Amino acid sequence: METYYNSLLENNKKWVADKLKEDPDFFNKLAHGQKPPVLWIGCSDSRVPANEIIGAPPGEVFVHRNIANMVVHSDMNLLSVLDYAVNVLEVKHIIVCGHYGCGGVQTAMTNAHVGLIDNWIRHIKDVYRMNYEELHVIQEPKARVDRFVELNVFEQVCNLAKTSIVQGAWERRADLHLHGWVYDVADGLIKDLDVTLTNNSTLQNVYKLDI
Ligand code: CO
């Protein structure tokens, strides 16, 4: 364990050396500030590192991660990240990236009591309840949970669209795109769910804000 822990800091030194060998100005450029085009909302799962799986260098992706890539409207952490990304950094793309094999999503389909996290997972249970009939037409258990992962991502993209932050930005500019992706931990590939939203026209009427 001790060796493992020390190796993390050693790896950092090696990473710095490698970066400087490629570009002596690498860190000087980053030190001047950030203008990332992308906000990533992903799962905390250790197998889904945002930058690495899309080949994005430091400076390109503003990142928020939580269990099961949820967009919860009372989550001050998420709202703060979203507001800063949309209104200060002016990102062009917000990507909600779920992943097949998501433990949070799987647990939401059961009656398991894990601990404090039960209360977070309750938000995912709501998505399960809303899509119960579609999901239970699917007989094969893995196919069913995979579909639930996709439906949960779609629901979180819609939750983004329902925020005053995103609708306010859409009022002012036409270049903010919301996307839903699912990453497959078994083969490394990302599936674009093709649910891109660029305005609030597809939202049910009650969610449209007069901004
Ligand atoms: Co997950």
Side-chain angles (χ1 to χ4, degrees):
M1 189 64 198
E2 197 61 21
T3 311
Y4 169 72
Y5 171 77
N6 287 327
S7 74
L8 299 176
L9 296 165
E10 288 307 313
N11 288 346
N12 168 254
K13 290 196 185 79
K14 185 177 176 306
W15 177 76
V16 170
D18 288 347
K19 286 294 166 195
L20 289 174
K21 199 157 38 168
E22 282 170 28
D23 176 5
D25 246 7
F26 185 79
F27 295 101
N28 291 336
K29 287 178 197 159
L30 288 170
H32 290 300
Q34 61 170 337
K35 190 67 180 162
V38 173
L39 166 61
W40 176 278
I41 298 172
C43 184
S44 298
D45 193 300
S46 61
R47 299 165 296 178
V48 195
N51 287 63
E52 191 168 339
I53 63 176
I54 54 172
E60 272 192 27
V61 189
F62 202 62
V63 175
H64 179 82
R65 290 169 70 179
N66 62 41
I67 288 166
N69 40 270
M70 300 299 287
V71 176
V72 174
H73 285 79
S74 54
D75 178 358
M76 280 300 292
N77 188 348
L78 179 278
L79 293 175
S80 301
V81 168
L82 181 64
D83 184 58
Y84 190 73
V86 167
N87 291 321
V88 180
L89 298 173
E90 298 185 316
V91 298
K92 305 283 188 272
H93 302 276
I94 305 178
I95 297 163
V96 177
C97 186
H99 67 102
Y100 298 123
C102 185
V105 168
Q106 284 168 11
T107 304
M109 301 172 90
T110 74
N111 298 100
H113 162 52
V114 183
L116 177 69
I117 194 181
D118 300 344
N119 303 285
W120 184 254
I121 285 173
R122 207 231 65 204
H123 293 290
I124 319 170
K125 287 182 186 284
D126 291 346
V127 184
Y128 183 48
R129 172 175 49 80
M130 288 187 283
N131 294 284
Y132 189 88
E133 284 181 16
E134 176 183 338
L135 288 168
H136 280 265
V137 169
I138 304 169
Q139 294 301 315
E140 206 274 306
K142 185 179 181 305
R144 183 187 295 161
V145 72
D146 282 356
R147 182 62 184 147
F148 184 27
V149 166
E150 295 173 359
L151 291 169
N152 184 51
V153 165
F154 176 62
E155 193 64 31
Q156 305 320 312
V157 171
C158 293
N159 281 345
L160 281 174
K162 292 169 190 170
T163 63
S164 58
I165 298 164
V166 167
Q167 290 193 45
W170 277 337
E171 238 353 84
R172 293 187 300 277
R173 59 187 174 104
D175 61 351
L176 179 62
H177 302 74
L178 313 185
H179 310 273
W181 290 0
V182 177
Y183 174 76
D184 193 339
V185 291
D187 65 13
L189 291 170
I190 289 166
K191 177 178 177 179
D192 184 344
L193 299 179
D194 287 321
V195 293
T196 299
L197 298 182
T198 55
N199 57 62
N200 69 359
S201 65
T202 57
L203 292 182
Q204 284 165 288
N205 198 49
V206 74
Y207 294 114
K208 293 175 184 169
L209 301 174
D210 294 327
I211 294 178

